[in-house]
């Protein structure tokens, strides 16, 4: 059975290996135009995911607390 510590160690080792493969094979192993287009795509994707996460977080805060609610209150 895998423990949480073993999982975290394997995850961190995999991340380091992924960065190494990315730098040696993707960025340094291709022409500059391909590397730039890859980095631009990665930046756009990161921005889109971050912006969507920001919207989801705002919706959750609104749902749980009512802060930032844009609905008009009824005047009874």
């Amino acid at each position: 059975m895998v423990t949480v510590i073993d999982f975290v160690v394997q995850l961190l080792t995999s991340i380091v290996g992924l960065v190494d493969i990315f730098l040696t094979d993707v960025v340094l192993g291709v022409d500059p135009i391909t590397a730039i287009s890859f980095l631009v795509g990665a930046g756009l994707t990161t921005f889109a995911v971050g912006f969507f996460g920001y919207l989801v977080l705002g919706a959750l805060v609104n749902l749980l607390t009512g802060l930032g609610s844009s609905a008009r209150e009824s005047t009874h």
Side-chain angles (χ1 to χ4, degrees):
M1 179 173 222
V2 178
T3 64
V4 173
I5 304 266
D6 292 337
F7 175 74
V8 170
V9 168
Q10 184 63 35
L11 182 65
L12 293 176
T13 305
S14 297
I15 290 172
V16 170
L18 181 63
V19 169
D20 180 45
I21 290 171
F22 173 74
L23 289 176
T24 57
D25 293 343
V26 176
V27 174
L28 299 176
V30 296
D31 61 300
I33 301 292
T34 304
I36 289 171
S37 66
F38 181 80
L39 291 175
V40 168
L44 290 173
T45 302
T46 302
F47 174 76
V49 168
F51 188 70
F52 181 70
Y54 173 73
L55 292 177
V56 168
L57 182 63
L60 286 173
V61 168
N62 188 0
L63 177 68
L64 297 175
T65 64
L67 293 174
S69 179
S70 60
R72 295 182 183 174
E73 294 185 23
S74 62
T75 55
H76 290 289

Short mmCIF file of all heavy atoms in Angstrom, two decimals:
data_model
loop_
_atom_site.label_atom_id
_atom_site.label_comp_id
_atom_site.label_asym_id
_atom_site.label_seq_id
_atom_site.Cartn_x
_atom_site.Cartn_y
_atom_site.Cartn_z
N MET A 1 0.84 -1.17 0.00
CA MET A 1 0.00 0.00 0.00
C MET A 1 0.90 1.24 0.00
O MET A 1 1.89 1.31 0.71
CB MET A 1 -0.91 -0.01 1.22
CG MET A 1 -1.80 1.18 1.31
SD MET A 1 -2.97 0.97 2.64
CE MET A 1 -4.40 1.57 1.85
N VAL A 2 0.51 2.23 -0.76
CA VAL A 2 1.27 3.46 -0.88
C VAL A 2 0.85 4.43 0.22
O VAL A 2 -0.34 4.68 0.41
CB VAL A 2 1.05 4.10 -2.27
CG1 VAL A 2 1.81 5.41 -2.38
CG2 VAL A 2 1.47 3.15 -3.37
N THR A 3 1.83 4.99 0.90
CA THR A 3 1.52 5.97 1.94
C THR A 3 1.46 7.36 1.31
O THR A 3 1.87 7.56 0.17
CB THR A 3 2.59 5.95 3.05
OG1 THR A 3 3.83 6.35 2.48
CG2 THR A 3 2.72 4.57 3.66
N VAL A 4 0.98 8.30 2.09
CA VAL A 4 0.87 9.68 1.61
C VAL A 4 2.27 10.25 1.34
O VAL A 4 2.49 10.94 0.34
CB VAL A 4 0.11 10.55 2.63
CG1 VAL A 4 0.12 12.00 2.23
CG2 VAL A 4 -1.31 10.04 2.79
N ILE A 5 3.23 9.92 2.19
CA ILE A 5 4.61 10.41 2.02
C ILE A 5 5.18 9.86 0.72
O ILE A 5 5.81 10.61 -0.04
CB ILE A 5 5.48 9.97 3.22
CG1 ILE A 5 4.86 10.47 4.50
CG2 ILE A 5 6.91 10.41 3.01
CD1 ILE A 5 5.36 11.78 5.01
N ASP A 6 4.99 8.57 0.45
CA ASP A 6 5.49 7.98 -0.80
C ASP A 6 4.85 8.65 -2.01
O ASP A 6 5.52 8.91 -3.01
CB ASP A 6 5.20 6.48 -0.85
CG ASP A 6 5.99 5.69 0.17
OD1 ASP A 6 7.06 6.19 0.59
OD2 ASP A 6 5.55 4.59 0.54
N PHE A 7 3.56 8.94 -1.92
CA PHE A 7 2.86 9.60 -3.02
C PHE A 7 3.42 10.99 -3.28
O PHE A 7 3.67 11.37 -4.41
CB PHE A 7 1.36 9.67 -2.72
CG PHE A 7 0.59 10.44 -3.74
CD1 PHE A 7 0.33 9.90 -4.98
CD2 PHE A 7 0.13 11.72 -3.45
CE1 PHE A 7 -0.38 10.62 -5.93
CE2 PHE A 7 -0.57 12.45 -4.38
CZ PHE A 7 -0.83 11.89 -5.64
N VAL A 8 3.63 11.77 -2.21
CA VAL A 8 4.14 13.13 -2.36
C VAL A 8 5.56 13.11 -2.92
O VAL A 8 5.91 13.90 -3.80
CB VAL A 8 4.07 13.89 -1.01
CG1 VAL A 8 4.81 15.21 -1.07
CG2 VAL A 8 2.63 14.10 -0.60
N VAL A 9 6.39 12.19 -2.45
CA VAL A 9 7.76 12.08 -2.96
C VAL A 9 7.74 11.73 -4.43
O VAL A 9 8.47 12.31 -5.24
CB VAL A 9 8.56 11.05 -2.14
CG1 VAL A 9 9.88 10.70 -2.82
CG2 VAL A 9 8.82 11.58 -0.74
N GLN A 10 6.92 10.77 -4.82
CA GLN A 10 6.83 10.38 -6.23
C GLN A 10 6.28 11.54 -7.09
O GLN A 10 6.75 11.76 -8.20
CB GLN A 10 5.92 9.15 -6.38
CG GLN A 10 5.84 8.62 -7.79
CD GLN A 10 7.17 8.12 -8.31
OE1 GLN A 10 7.97 7.57 -7.55
NE2 GLN A 10 7.42 8.30 -9.58
N LEU A 11 5.33 12.28 -6.56
CA LEU A 11 4.77 13.42 -7.28
C LEU A 11 5.83 14.49 -7.50
O LEU A 11 5.99 15.01 -8.62
CB LEU A 11 3.59 13.99 -6.51
CG LEU A 11 2.86 15.17 -7.15
CD1 LEU A 11 2.21 14.74 -8.45
CD2 LEU A 11 1.84 15.74 -6.20
N LEU A 12 6.59 14.83 -6.47
CA LEU A 12 7.64 15.84 -6.60
C LEU A 12 8.75 15.36 -7.54
O LEU A 12 9.27 16.14 -8.34
CB LEU A 12 8.21 16.20 -5.23
CG LEU A 12 7.25 16.92 -4.29
CD1 LEU A 12 7.88 17.13 -2.92
CD2 LEU A 12 6.80 18.24 -4.89
N THR A 13 9.10 14.09 -7.48
CA THR A 13 10.11 13.53 -8.39
C THR A 13 9.62 13.60 -9.82
O THR A 13 10.39 13.93 -10.73
CB THR A 13 10.43 12.08 -7.99
OG1 THR A 13 10.83 12.04 -6.63
CG2 THR A 13 11.55 11.51 -8.85
N SER A 14 8.37 13.31 -10.04
CA SER A 14 7.80 13.37 -11.38
C SER A 14 7.78 14.80 -11.91
O SER A 14 8.03 15.03 -13.10
CB SER A 14 6.38 12.81 -11.39
OG SER A 14 6.38 11.46 -11.04
N ILE A 15 7.49 15.77 -11.05
CA ILE A 15 7.47 17.17 -11.47
C ILE A 15 8.86 17.61 -11.89
O ILE A 15 9.03 18.26 -12.93
CB ILE A 15 6.91 18.06 -10.35
CG1 ILE A 15 5.42 17.80 -10.17
CG2 ILE A 15 7.17 19.53 -10.63
CD1 ILE A 15 4.80 18.49 -8.98
N VAL A 16 9.88 17.24 -11.11
CA VAL A 16 11.25 17.60 -11.47
C VAL A 16 11.64 16.94 -12.79
O VAL A 16 12.25 17.57 -13.66
CB VAL A 16 12.22 17.20 -10.34
CG1 VAL A 16 13.67 17.35 -10.78
CG2 VAL A 16 11.96 18.04 -9.11
N GLY A 17 11.28 15.68 -12.96
CA GLY A 17 11.57 15.00 -14.22
C GLY A 17 10.84 15.63 -15.40
O GLY A 17 11.40 15.74 -16.50
N LEU A 18 9.61 16.07 -15.19
CA LEU A 18 8.84 16.72 -16.25
C LEU A 18 9.47 18.04 -16.65
O LEU A 18 9.56 18.35 -17.84
CB LEU A 18 7.40 16.93 -15.78
CG LEU A 18 6.45 17.58 -16.78
CD1 LEU A 18 6.29 16.68 -17.99
CD2 LEU A 18 5.12 17.84 -16.14
N VAL A 19 9.92 18.82 -15.68
CA VAL A 19 10.59 20.08 -15.99
C VAL A 19 11.88 19.82 -16.77
O VAL A 19 12.19 20.52 -17.74
CB VAL A 19 10.86 20.89 -14.70
CG1 VAL A 19 11.79 22.06 -14.96
CG2 VAL A 19 9.55 21.35 -14.10
N ASP A 20 12.63 18.79 -16.37
CA ASP A 20 13.86 18.44 -17.08
C ASP A 20 13.58 18.04 -18.52
O ASP A 20 14.25 18.51 -19.45
CB ASP A 20 14.58 17.31 -16.34
CG ASP A 20 15.86 16.91 -17.02
OD1 ASP A 20 16.63 17.81 -17.40
OD2 ASP A 20 16.10 15.69 -17.17
N ILE A 21 12.58 17.21 -18.73
CA ILE A 21 12.20 16.79 -20.09
C ILE A 21 11.72 17.99 -20.89
O ILE A 21 12.06 18.16 -22.06
CB ILE A 21 11.13 15.69 -20.04
CG1 ILE A 21 11.73 14.40 -19.51
CG2 ILE A 21 10.51 15.47 -21.41
CD1 ILE A 21 10.70 13.32 -19.23
N PHE A 22 10.93 18.86 -20.26
CA PHE A 22 10.44 20.05 -20.96
C PHE A 22 11.59 20.93 -21.42
O PHE A 22 11.62 21.37 -22.57
CB PHE A 22 9.50 20.84 -20.04
CG PHE A 22 9.08 22.16 -20.61
CD1 PHE A 22 8.17 22.22 -21.63
CD2 PHE A 22 9.63 23.34 -20.12
CE1 PHE A 22 7.78 23.44 -22.17
CE2 PHE A 22 9.25 24.55 -20.64
CZ PHE A 22 8.33 24.61 -21.67
N LEU A 23 12.55 21.18 -20.54
CA LEU A 23 13.65 22.07 -20.90
C LEU A 23 14.57 21.46 -21.94
O LEU A 23 14.99 22.14 -22.89
CB LEU A 23 14.45 22.46 -19.65
CG LEU A 23 13.74 23.40 -18.69
CD1 LEU A 23 14.60 23.62 -17.44
CD2 LEU A 23 13.41 24.72 -19.35
N THR A 24 14.90 20.19 -21.79
CA THR A 24 15.88 19.59 -22.71
C THR A 24 15.27 19.18 -24.04
O THR A 24 15.91 19.34 -25.08
CB THR A 24 16.55 18.37 -22.06
OG1 THR A 24 15.56 17.43 -21.67
CG2 THR A 24 17.38 18.79 -20.86
N ASP A 25 14.07 18.65 -24.05
CA ASP A 25 13.50 18.12 -25.28
C ASP A 25 12.59 19.10 -26.01
O ASP A 25 12.56 19.13 -27.23
CB ASP A 25 12.70 16.84 -25.00
CG ASP A 25 13.59 15.69 -24.56
OD1 ASP A 25 14.82 15.80 -24.78
OD2 ASP A 25 13.06 14.72 -23.99
N VAL A 26 11.85 19.91 -25.27
CA VAL A 26 10.88 20.78 -25.91
C VAL A 26 11.47 22.14 -26.23
O VAL A 26 11.48 22.58 -27.38
CB VAL A 26 9.62 20.94 -25.04
CG1 VAL A 26 8.65 21.91 -25.65
CG2 VAL A 26 8.95 19.59 -24.83
N VAL A 27 12.00 22.83 -25.24
CA VAL A 27 12.47 24.20 -25.44
C VAL A 27 13.80 24.21 -26.19
O VAL A 27 13.97 24.94 -27.16
CB VAL A 27 12.57 24.95 -24.10
CG1 VAL A 27 13.20 26.31 -24.29
CG2 VAL A 27 11.20 25.08 -23.47
N LEU A 28 14.75 23.42 -25.73
CA LEU A 28 16.08 23.46 -26.34
C LEU A 28 16.21 22.52 -27.53
O LEU A 28 17.17 22.62 -28.28
CB LEU A 28 17.14 23.11 -25.28
CG LEU A 28 17.20 24.06 -24.09
CD1 LEU A 28 18.22 23.57 -23.08
CD2 LEU A 28 17.51 25.47 -24.53
N GLY A 29 15.27 21.63 -27.72
CA GLY A 29 15.38 20.65 -28.79
C GLY A 29 14.68 21.04 -30.09
O GLY A 29 14.69 20.28 -31.04
N VAL A 30 14.07 22.21 -30.14
CA VAL A 30 13.36 22.64 -31.34
C VAL A 30 13.83 24.03 -31.75
O VAL A 30 14.56 24.69 -31.03
CB VAL A 30 11.83 22.64 -31.12
CG1 VAL A 30 11.31 21.24 -30.85
CG2 VAL A 30 11.45 23.57 -30.00
N ASP A 31 13.34 24.48 -32.89
CA ASP A 31 13.70 25.82 -33.34
C ASP A 31 13.01 26.88 -32.48
O ASP A 31 12.02 26.59 -31.82
CB ASP A 31 13.34 26.00 -34.81
CG ASP A 31 11.86 25.84 -35.07
OD1 ASP A 31 11.32 24.75 -34.77
OD2 ASP A 31 11.25 26.79 -35.56
N PRO A 32 13.51 28.10 -32.48
CA PRO A 32 12.96 29.14 -31.59
C PRO A 32 11.50 29.48 -31.85
O PRO A 32 10.76 29.77 -30.91
CB PRO A 32 13.85 30.35 -31.86
CG PRO A 32 15.08 29.82 -32.48
CD PRO A 32 14.71 28.56 -33.17
N ILE A 33 11.04 29.43 -33.10
CA ILE A 33 9.64 29.77 -33.39
C ILE A 33 8.70 28.76 -32.73
O ILE A 33 7.68 29.14 -32.15
CB ILE A 33 9.40 29.81 -34.92
CG1 ILE A 33 10.31 30.84 -35.58
CG2 ILE A 33 7.94 30.05 -35.23
CD1 ILE A 33 9.98 32.27 -35.22
N THR A 34 9.05 27.50 -32.78
CA THR A 34 8.23 26.47 -32.15
C THR A 34 8.20 26.64 -30.64
O THR A 34 7.14 26.52 -30.01
CB THR A 34 8.75 25.08 -32.52
OG1 THR A 34 8.79 24.95 -33.94
CG2 THR A 34 7.89 23.98 -31.94
N ALA A 35 9.35 26.92 -30.05
CA ALA A 35 9.41 27.12 -28.61
C ALA A 35 8.58 28.33 -28.19
O ALA A 35 7.85 28.28 -27.20
CB ALA A 35 10.86 27.29 -28.16
N ILE A 36 8.67 29.43 -28.95
CA ILE A 36 7.90 30.63 -28.62
C ILE A 36 6.40 30.37 -28.75
O ILE A 36 5.62 30.76 -27.89
CB ILE A 36 8.35 31.81 -29.50
CG1 ILE A 36 9.74 32.27 -29.09
CG2 ILE A 36 7.36 32.97 -29.42
CD1 ILE A 36 10.36 33.27 -30.02
N SER A 37 5.99 29.69 -29.81
CA SER A 37 4.56 29.40 -29.98
C SER A 37 4.06 28.47 -28.88
O SER A 37 2.92 28.62 -28.41
CB SER A 37 4.29 28.82 -31.36
OG SER A 37 4.88 27.56 -31.50
N PHE A 38 4.89 27.53 -28.46
CA PHE A 38 4.52 26.64 -27.37
C PHE A 38 4.35 27.43 -26.07
O PHE A 38 3.38 27.24 -25.33
CB PHE A 38 5.57 25.54 -27.19
CG PHE A 38 5.24 24.57 -26.10
CD1 PHE A 38 4.35 23.54 -26.33
CD2 PHE A 38 5.81 24.70 -24.85
CE1 PHE A 38 4.04 22.64 -25.32
CE2 PHE A 38 5.50 23.82 -23.84
CZ PHE A 38 4.62 22.78 -24.08
N LEU A 39 5.27 28.34 -25.79
CA LEU A 39 5.19 29.14 -24.57
C LEU A 39 4.01 30.10 -24.59
O LEU A 39 3.37 30.33 -23.56
CB LEU A 39 6.50 29.89 -24.35
CG LEU A 39 7.71 29.00 -23.99
CD1 LEU A 39 8.98 29.84 -23.93
CD2 LEU A 39 7.47 28.27 -22.69
N VAL A 40 3.70 30.66 -25.76
CA VAL A 40 2.53 31.54 -25.87
C VAL A 40 1.26 30.74 -25.61
O VAL A 40 0.35 31.18 -24.89
CB VAL A 40 2.49 32.24 -27.24
CG1 VAL A 40 1.15 32.90 -27.48
CG2 VAL A 40 3.61 33.27 -27.34
N GLY A 41 1.18 29.55 -26.18
CA GLY A 41 0.02 28.70 -25.94
C GLY A 41 -0.12 28.31 -24.48
O GLY A 41 -1.22 28.31 -23.91
N ALA A 42 1.01 28.01 -23.84
CA ALA A 42 0.98 27.67 -22.42
C ALA A 42 0.54 28.87 -21.59
O ALA A 42 -0.22 28.73 -20.63
CB ALA A 42 2.36 27.19 -21.97
N GLY A 43 1.00 30.06 -21.96
CA GLY A 43 0.59 31.27 -21.24
C GLY A 43 -0.89 31.56 -21.38
O GLY A 43 -1.56 31.90 -20.42
N LEU A 44 -1.40 31.42 -22.60
CA LEU A 44 -2.83 31.65 -22.83
C LEU A 44 -3.68 30.64 -22.07
O LEU A 44 -4.72 30.99 -21.48
CB LEU A 44 -3.15 31.60 -24.32
CG LEU A 44 -2.62 32.78 -25.15
CD1 LEU A 44 -2.85 32.51 -26.63
CD2 LEU A 44 -3.27 34.07 -24.73
N THR A 45 -3.25 29.39 -22.08
CA THR A 45 -3.99 28.35 -21.37
C THR A 45 -3.97 28.61 -19.86
O THR A 45 -4.99 28.49 -19.18
CB THR A 45 -3.40 26.97 -21.67
OG1 THR A 45 -3.43 26.76 -23.08
CG2 THR A 45 -4.16 25.87 -20.98
N THR A 46 -2.80 28.98 -19.33
CA THR A 46 -2.69 29.28 -17.91
C THR A 46 -3.57 30.46 -17.53
O THR A 46 -4.25 30.43 -16.49
CB THR A 46 -1.22 29.57 -17.54
OG1 THR A 46 -0.43 28.44 -17.90
CG2 THR A 46 -1.06 29.87 -16.07
N PHE A 47 -3.59 31.50 -18.37
CA PHE A 47 -4.44 32.65 -18.10
C PHE A 47 -5.92 32.24 -18.09
O PHE A 47 -6.67 32.65 -17.20
CB PHE A 47 -4.20 33.75 -19.14
CG PHE A 47 -5.16 34.90 -19.00
CD1 PHE A 47 -4.99 35.84 -17.99
CD2 PHE A 47 -6.22 35.04 -19.87
CE1 PHE A 47 -5.88 36.90 -17.85
CE2 PHE A 47 -7.11 36.08 -19.74
CZ PHE A 47 -6.94 37.02 -18.73
N ALA A 48 -6.33 31.45 -19.08
CA ALA A 48 -7.74 31.05 -19.16
C ALA A 48 -8.15 30.21 -17.95
O ALA A 48 -9.23 30.42 -17.38
CB ALA A 48 -7.99 30.27 -20.45
N VAL A 49 -7.30 29.28 -17.55
CA VAL A 49 -7.62 28.44 -16.39
C VAL A 49 -7.65 29.28 -15.12
O VAL A 49 -8.54 29.12 -14.28
CB VAL A 49 -6.61 27.28 -16.28
CG1 VAL A 49 -6.73 26.56 -14.95
CG2 VAL A 49 -6.80 26.30 -17.42
N GLY A 50 -6.71 30.19 -14.98
CA GLY A 50 -6.68 31.06 -13.80
C GLY A 50 -7.89 31.97 -13.73
O GLY A 50 -8.48 32.16 -12.67
N PHE A 51 -8.29 32.54 -14.87
CA PHE A 51 -9.45 33.42 -14.90
C PHE A 51 -10.73 32.65 -14.58
O PHE A 51 -11.57 33.11 -13.81
CB PHE A 51 -9.56 34.09 -16.26
CG PHE A 51 -10.61 35.15 -16.33
CD1 PHE A 51 -10.46 36.36 -15.67
CD2 PHE A 51 -11.77 34.95 -17.07
CE1 PHE A 51 -11.43 37.33 -15.72
CE2 PHE A 51 -12.76 35.92 -17.12
CZ PHE A 51 -12.59 37.12 -16.44
N PHE A 52 -10.87 31.45 -15.14
CA PHE A 52 -12.03 30.63 -14.85
C PHE A 52 -12.06 30.24 -13.36
O PHE A 52 -13.11 30.26 -12.72
CB PHE A 52 -12.04 29.38 -15.72
CG PHE A 52 -13.22 28.49 -15.50
CD1 PHE A 52 -14.49 28.88 -15.90
CD2 PHE A 52 -13.09 27.26 -14.87
CE1 PHE A 52 -15.59 28.08 -15.70
CE2 PHE A 52 -14.18 26.45 -14.66
CZ PHE A 52 -15.43 26.85 -15.07
N GLY A 53 -10.90 29.91 -12.80
CA GLY A 53 -10.83 29.60 -11.38
C GLY A 53 -11.22 30.79 -10.52
O GLY A 53 -11.89 30.64 -9.50
N TYR A 54 -10.81 31.99 -10.94
CA TYR A 54 -11.19 33.22 -10.23
C TYR A 54 -12.71 33.41 -10.25
O TYR A 54 -13.32 33.75 -9.24
CB TYR A 54 -10.48 34.40 -10.88
CG TYR A 54 -10.90 35.75 -10.36
CD1 TYR A 54 -10.50 36.18 -9.10
CD2 TYR A 54 -11.70 36.59 -11.13
CE1 TYR A 54 -10.88 37.43 -8.62
CE2 TYR A 54 -12.08 37.83 -10.65
CZ TYR A 54 -11.67 38.25 -9.40
OH TYR A 54 -12.05 39.47 -8.93
N LEU A 55 -13.33 33.16 -11.41
CA LEU A 55 -14.78 33.30 -11.51
C LEU A 55 -15.50 32.25 -10.65
O LEU A 55 -16.50 32.56 -9.99
CB LEU A 55 -15.23 33.16 -12.96
CG LEU A 55 -14.80 34.28 -13.91
CD1 LEU A 55 -15.25 33.96 -15.32
CD2 LEU A 55 -15.34 35.61 -13.45
N VAL A 56 -14.99 31.03 -10.64
CA VAL A 56 -15.61 29.98 -9.84
C VAL A 56 -15.46 30.31 -8.35
O VAL A 56 -16.41 30.14 -7.57
CB VAL A 56 -14.99 28.61 -10.16
CG1 VAL A 56 -15.40 27.55 -9.16
CG2 VAL A 56 -15.39 28.18 -11.57
N LEU A 57 -14.29 30.80 -7.95
CA LEU A 57 -14.10 31.18 -6.55
C LEU A 57 -15.05 32.31 -6.15
O LEU A 57 -15.65 32.28 -5.08
CB LEU A 57 -12.65 31.60 -6.32
CG LEU A 57 -12.27 32.00 -4.90
CD1 LEU A 57 -12.43 30.81 -3.97
CD2 LEU A 57 -10.87 32.53 -4.87
N GLY A 58 -15.22 33.28 -7.04
CA GLY A 58 -16.17 34.36 -6.75
C GLY A 58 -17.59 33.86 -6.64
O GLY A 58 -18.36 34.32 -5.78
N ALA A 59 -17.96 32.92 -7.49
CA ALA A 59 -19.31 32.36 -7.42
C ALA A 59 -19.52 31.59 -6.11
O ALA A 59 -20.60 31.65 -5.50
CB ALA A 59 -19.57 31.45 -8.61
N LEU A 60 -18.48 30.86 -5.69
CA LEU A 60 -18.60 30.11 -4.43
C LEU A 60 -18.70 31.06 -3.23
O LEU A 60 -19.51 30.83 -2.32
CB LEU A 60 -17.40 29.18 -4.25
CG LEU A 60 -17.40 27.93 -5.12
CD1 LEU A 60 -16.08 27.18 -4.96
CD2 LEU A 60 -18.57 27.03 -4.77
N VAL A 61 -17.92 32.12 -3.23
CA VAL A 61 -18.01 33.11 -2.14
C VAL A 61 -19.39 33.74 -2.13
O VAL A 61 -20.00 33.92 -1.08
CB VAL A 61 -16.89 34.17 -2.28
CG1 VAL A 61 -17.14 35.35 -1.36
CG2 VAL A 61 -15.54 33.55 -2.00
N ASN A 62 -19.92 34.08 -3.30
CA ASN A 62 -21.25 34.67 -3.40
C ASN A 62 -22.30 33.69 -2.90
O ASN A 62 -23.23 34.06 -2.19
CB ASN A 62 -21.52 35.08 -4.84
CG ASN A 62 -22.81 35.86 -4.99
OD1 ASN A 62 -23.52 36.10 -4.04
ND2 ASN A 62 -23.10 36.23 -6.21
N LEU A 63 -22.17 32.44 -3.27
CA LEU A 63 -23.14 31.42 -2.86
C LEU A 63 -23.13 31.23 -1.34
O LEU A 63 -24.19 31.14 -0.71
CB LEU A 63 -22.84 30.09 -3.55
CG LEU A 63 -23.72 28.91 -3.18
CD1 LEU A 63 -25.13 29.14 -3.70
CD2 LEU A 63 -23.13 27.63 -3.73
N LEU A 64 -21.93 31.17 -0.76
CA LEU A 64 -21.84 30.86 0.66
C LEU A 64 -22.07 32.07 1.56
O LEU A 64 -22.59 31.92 2.66
CB LEU A 64 -20.46 30.26 0.96
CG LEU A 64 -20.17 28.92 0.27
CD1 LEU A 64 -18.74 28.49 0.54
CD2 LEU A 64 -21.16 27.86 0.72
N THR A 65 -21.69 33.27 1.11
CA THR A 65 -21.77 34.43 2.00
C THR A 65 -22.73 35.51 1.52
O THR A 65 -23.14 36.34 2.30
CB THR A 65 -20.39 35.07 2.17
OG1 THR A 65 -19.95 35.58 0.92
CG2 THR A 65 -19.38 34.08 2.72
N GLY A 66 -23.03 35.54 0.23
CA GLY A 66 -23.87 36.59 -0.31
C GLY A 66 -23.10 37.84 -0.65
O GLY A 66 -23.67 38.83 -1.10
N LEU A 67 -21.79 37.86 -0.40
CA LEU A 67 -20.96 39.01 -0.73
C LEU A 67 -20.85 39.16 -2.23
O LEU A 67 -20.72 38.17 -2.96
CB LEU A 67 -19.56 38.86 -0.13
CG LEU A 67 -19.48 38.91 1.38
CD1 LEU A 67 -18.04 38.60 1.83
CD2 LEU A 67 -19.92 40.25 1.90
N GLY A 68 -20.91 40.37 -2.70
CA GLY A 68 -20.78 40.61 -4.13
C GLY A 68 -22.02 40.28 -4.91
O GLY A 68 -21.99 40.22 -6.13
N SER A 69 -23.12 40.10 -4.24
CA SER A 69 -24.35 39.74 -4.92
C SER A 69 -24.84 40.91 -5.77
O SER A 69 -24.87 42.05 -5.33
CB SER A 69 -25.43 39.37 -3.90
OG SER A 69 -26.62 39.04 -4.56
N SER A 70 -25.22 40.63 -7.00
CA SER A 70 -25.68 41.68 -7.88
C SER A 70 -27.19 41.70 -8.02
O SER A 70 -27.74 42.53 -8.74
CB SER A 70 -25.05 41.49 -9.27
OG SER A 70 -25.42 40.25 -9.80
N ALA A 71 -27.87 40.82 -7.32
CA ALA A 71 -29.34 40.80 -7.39
C ALA A 71 -29.90 41.95 -6.58
O ALA A 71 -29.41 42.30 -5.51
CB ALA A 71 -29.88 39.48 -6.85
N ARG A 72 -30.93 42.57 -7.10
CA ARG A 72 -31.56 43.69 -6.40
C ARG A 72 -32.42 43.16 -5.28
O ARG A 72 -33.11 42.15 -5.40
CB ARG A 72 -32.43 44.48 -7.36
CG ARG A 72 -31.62 45.13 -8.43
CD ARG A 72 -32.49 45.96 -9.34
NE ARG A 72 -31.68 46.51 -10.39
CZ ARG A 72 -32.16 47.18 -11.40
NH1 ARG A 72 -33.45 47.40 -11.50
NH2 ARG A 72 -31.36 47.64 -12.32
N GLU A 73 -32.34 43.85 -4.17
CA GLU A 73 -33.16 43.45 -3.03
C GLU A 73 -34.56 43.98 -3.19
O GLU A 73 -34.77 45.07 -3.70
CB GLU A 73 -32.54 43.99 -1.74
CG GLU A 73 -31.19 43.38 -1.43
CD GLU A 73 -30.66 43.85 -0.10
OE1 GLU A 73 -31.47 44.27 0.76
OE2 GLU A 73 -29.44 43.80 0.08
N SER A 74 -35.53 43.20 -2.75
CA SER A 74 -36.91 43.65 -2.84
C SER A 74 -37.19 44.69 -1.76
O SER A 74 -36.69 44.61 -0.65
CB SER A 74 -37.86 42.45 -2.68
OG SER A 74 -37.68 41.85 -1.42
N THR A 75 -38.02 45.65 -2.07
CA THR A 75 -38.36 46.70 -1.11
C THR A 75 -39.78 46.45 -0.61
O THR A 75 -40.76 46.81 -1.21
CB THR A 75 -38.27 48.08 -1.77
OG1 THR A 75 -39.10 48.09 -2.95
CG2 THR A 75 -36.84 48.39 -2.17
N HIS A 76 -39.87 45.76 0.50
CA HIS A 76 -41.18 45.45 1.09
C HIS A 76 -41.50 46.41 2.17
O HIS A 76 -40.91 46.72 3.07
CB HIS A 76 -41.23 44.03 1.65
CG HIS A 76 -41.23 42.99 0.57
ND1 HIS A 76 -42.29 42.78 -0.25
CD2 HIS A 76 -40.28 42.13 0.17
CE1 HIS A 76 -42.00 41.81 -1.09
NE2 HIS A 76 -40.77 41.39 -0.85
#
